[in-house]
Amino acid sequence: MRGITTVEATTPGPAAPRRAAGALAAPLATAVAVMTVVASALVLARYDPALVGERSTTPWLSFVELAAAAAMVAGAWSVRSTHPPASTGLAVATAGSLLPLWATSPWLPGPVRAGVLAAAPFTVAGVAQVALGWPTEVAPAVRRAGRAVYMLAGAAALAHLLGYNPFADPGCFRTCEDVPPLLGGILTTRAAVTVASLLTIAAAALGAAAAVLAAKTARTPRSVTGAVVLALAALAIAAAVRLVGWGDALASVSRFAPEPFAVAVVGAVVGGVGFRTVRTRAAIDRLAAQLSDPSAALRQSGGAIRGVQFLVPDDGRWVDAAGHDVGDPPAPGSDLVLSDASGPVLRLLLARRADQGEVLAGLTPATRLALRNAQLAAVASARLAEVQASQRRVVATSDAERRRIERDLHDGAQQRLVSVAFHLRVALAGAEPATGVRLTSAEVRVRDALARLRRLAHGIFPSALASEGLGAALDELVAASDVPATLTVHVDSVADAPAMAAYATVVAALDAVERPSAATREMISVVQDGITLTVRAEVTGGDGTVVAPDCTDAADRVGALGGQLTLSGPAQDGTLTVTAVIPCGS
């Protein structure tokens, strides 16, 4: 049915996914970076060349590490909302590359300084996850490879933690504390370094292969994949150099730590991609704002344009953005008409002393598209207003015809039947008994016809609606209905058109019950809230029969006023809801 929105019962959809588990990864990576920078600053403040064997941090290296930490954190934050798994991977890589630097802090306990060195293999796993976690969907083989990379990194970290004694390392990698490991009697320091290095190289190789495979099967930016592969290659080479260089007794300060800088390269590339994404989204948002609000596009003119009007095709009328007719045309020279192949489309109302050439030069393609979109919306609003006005005229004409028929029935047929009944009663007074029986029967039939005619005339147009108002008319309607109903009315003064629309909606809701039962109930509420009249009827069938009512008349009346009628049901349990939202003026 036209103008009626039908709502059917639906099953609830799946619940929204929970927030990504890596939501806290970027803040934690930031905390690690800040603490590392602070620790490096404290070490730098106490820098003494005579104690260089205890410190691997030199002044220039501290500033480079600060820049690297900033790049890591920026990358993790830039894709935190768009690619949470990649942000988590970058956070893991940040922690894995920066935590070993804490070993240079002499105020930390020896076991802690030795233990943080075991975090380095997780740098490989985190970097690999940046590429593997970038796409939303990856092949199962890629997913399994990502888990294998983490397992290899974890095994390398565990071997380093259980068997590495910094003092037994000829190079004293970042710290020379004598910290006996848990498996010192079983696993030598060199064996621990060898196992950890080999596992790290294997993890880097597997991660690089998986990153290349993921790039082929998913839309991962080439720059991200390239940075990840490059970083993994650098990490694998660093692990191999450390393994080959075992036995070199150089001081710790000569040991260059490539992990933070490899991660920094990935972070910088990811941050650049994230920045471009944010910039693109901002541009799209600005374009969307212009398309939805032409005034936003016109504000770019710097005040040269003070308004816009649109031509309704095949009509010759000019309307504003809301579709309302405009008054007199602007003065000559104060407007700029834009046309297309079909002729004039819109005109821009210019401010005084505005240069038309400058205005035309300032109309970007996005602004023109926004104005074209606004022209379509304005024309649609004007057409809709015309249709609603036509509906109102049809409804008004129909109501006028109904009133005329009611008057004709009341003044014509109804009066004649009353006269016939009167003459029959007069004739009955002097008639013989046999004739009186027939006259009495005729009088009963005439009065029955008169009652039916009165009900028909009343149904055509409820007289109480015009004389006593909407509340009284609805009270009379519900009282005469066979459907048990509870009526709640909170209205002030309502015009005839919205009142008739509300009345027709209640009539349709009552007609939904074909055979009421003792359990049938109907809750009807009519509430006026400012300029809106809301009619809601909830029907509970019980043991009775509830069907979808004919809401054509009600929908036409509601639609003619710019309102909306919604029909929900009837459901399997016999429930039905009819709702009408009717604009009723102020």
Side-chain angles (χ1 to χ4, degrees):
M1 292 177 285
R2 183 183 58 191
I4 305 174
T5 301
T6 303
V7 180
E8 299 180 356
T10 57
T11 56
R18 295 182 178 180
R19 191 176 180 180
L24 297 178
L28 291 178
T30 304
V32 172
V34 170
M35 294 175 65
T36 302
V37 170
V38 171
S40 298
L42 293 176
V43 171
L44 181 61
R46 299 179 58 185
Y47 181 75
D48 184 359
L51 302 176
V52 72
E54 278 291 318
R55 297 169 179 84
S56 62
T57 303
T58 57
W60 69 269
L61 197 57
S62 296
F63 291 109
V64 176
E65 289 175 352
L66 174 61
M72 300 177 202
V73 172
W77 279 98
S78 65
V79 295
R80 179 171 177 256
S81 59
T82 56
H83 302 280
S87 177
T88 302
L90 193 53
V92 172
T94 300
S97 62
L98 295 182
L99 284 178
L101 300 180
W102 293 12
T104 62
S105 303
W107 54 82
L108 289 177
V112 175
R113 298 175 66 187
V116 293
L117 295 174
F122 285 103
T123 306
V124 173
V127 170
Q129 185 178 339
V130 173
L132 304 184
W134 191 276
T136 55
E137 295 291 338
V138 294
V142 175
R143 192 178 297 109
R144 289 193 296 268
R147 288 195 292 265
V149 170
Y150 265 96
M151 293 176 62
L152 291 173
L158 184 62
H160 190 285
L161 183 64
L162 296 179
Y164 182 75
N165 183 351
F167 192 73
D169 188 343
C172 280
F173 192 58
R174 295 197 181 99
T175 180
C176 289
E177 290 283 340
D178 187 10
V179 182
L182 296 178
L183 299 181
I186 303 175
L187 187 65
T188 65
T189 298
R190 177 162 187 171
V193 172
T194 301
V195 172
S197 299
L198 292 177
L199 290 176
T200 301
I201 295 172
L206 180 59
V212 173
L213 178 60
K216 292 182 178 180
T217 58
R219 294 182 178 179
T220 304
R222 293 183 178 180
S223 57
V224 173
T225 303
V228 168
V229 173
L230 179 63
L232 291 175
L235 295 173
I237 292 174
V241 168
R242 186 185 180 197
L243 181 59
V244 173
W246 176 266
D248 188 359
L250 295 177
S252 299
V253 71
S254 65
R255 292 294 186 92
F256 178 73
E259 291 87 358
F261 305 101
V263 179
V265 171
V266 177
V269 172
V270 169
V273 174
F275 175 75
R276 290 198 303 270
T277 302
V278 171
R279 187 176 60 181
T280 303
R281 285 189 173 185
I284 293 175
D285 290 341
R286 288 194 300 269
L287 178 60
Q290 291 180 350
L291 294 178
S292 60
D293 183 11
S295 61
L298 298 181
R299 282 195 293 269
Q300 298 179 358
S301 66
I305 302 175
R306 57 183 178 86
V308 59
Q309 297 174 352
F310 306 96
L311 180 65
V312 180
D314 303 326
D315 198 333
R317 293 186 298 122
W318 288 90
V319 297
D320 58 15
H324 301 148
D325 290 347
V326 299
D328 298 331
S334 63
D335 66 318
L336 176 62
V337 179
L338 302 183
S339 306
D340 59 10
S342 62
V345 175
L346 58 91
R347 61 190 178 195
L348 303 176
L349 305 181
L350 305 181
R352 293 186 59 185
R353 301 179 181 178
D355 185 85
Q356 293 188 357
E358 293 181 357
V359 173
L360 282 174
L363 294 178
T364 64
T367 304
R368 291 178 179 271
L369 182 59
L371 292 174
R372 181 60 175 173
N373 182 71
Q375 189 257 349
L376 296 176
V379 171
S381 298
R383 298 297 193 197
L384 178 61
E386 293 176 359
V387 172
Q388 291 178 345
S390 176
Q391 273 188 298
R392 287 193 293 270
R393 289 192 296 269
V394 170
V395 171
T397 302
S398 175
D399 286 343
E401 183 64 17
R402 292 181 180 187
R403 290 189 180 96
R404 185 190 66 78
I405 294 174
E406 180 187 4
R407 287 194 301 270
D408 289 347
L409 290 176
H410 181 272
D411 298 338
Q414 187 174 336
Q415 294 297 331
R416 286 181 175 82
L417 287 176
V418 170
S419 177
V420 170
F422 174 76
H423 287 296
L424 286 175
R425 181 169 291 278
V426 171
L428 182 62
E432 297 180 356
T435 306
V437 173
R438 291 193 295 271
L439 291 176
T440 300
S441 176
E443 183 190 15
V444 171
R445 293 183 179 182
V446 169
R447 293 193 178 277
D448 181 65
L450 182 60
R452 291 177 179 271
L453 185 61
R454 285 173 176 170
R455 286 196 297 271
L456 176 62
H458 176 77
I460 291 177
F461 193 89
S463 57
L465 187 63
S467 59
E468 302 180 39
L470 178 59
L474 292 177
D475 285 334
E476 184 176 314
L477 175 64
V478 171
S481 174
D482 295 333
V483 180
T486 301
L487 177 65
T488 302
V489 179
H490 295 290
V491 297
D492 297 327
S493 177
V494 182
D496 289 343
M500 274 300 300
Y503 187 89
T505 302
V506 176
V507 170
L510 292 173
D511 290 343
V513 182
E514 286 190 341
R515 290 188 296 274
S517 67
T520 301
R521 291 290 183 272
E522 187 159 347
M523 305 290 293
I524 303 172
S525 65
V526 182
V527 180
Q528 183 180 5
D529 183 11
I531 61 174
T532 302
L533 184 66
T534 302
V535 181
R536 181 178 178 85
E538 298 181 0
V539 182
T540 304
D543 298 332
T545 302
V546 177
V547 298
D550 182 6
C551 298
T552 303
D553 181 56
D556 287 343
R557 293 181 180 275
V558 173
L561 299 173
Q564 180 67 43
L565 187 143
T566 304
L567 176 64
S568 178
Q572 294 182 352
D573 58 354
T575 59
L576 179 140
T577 303
V578 181
T579 305
V581 180
I582 309 168
C584 59
S586 56

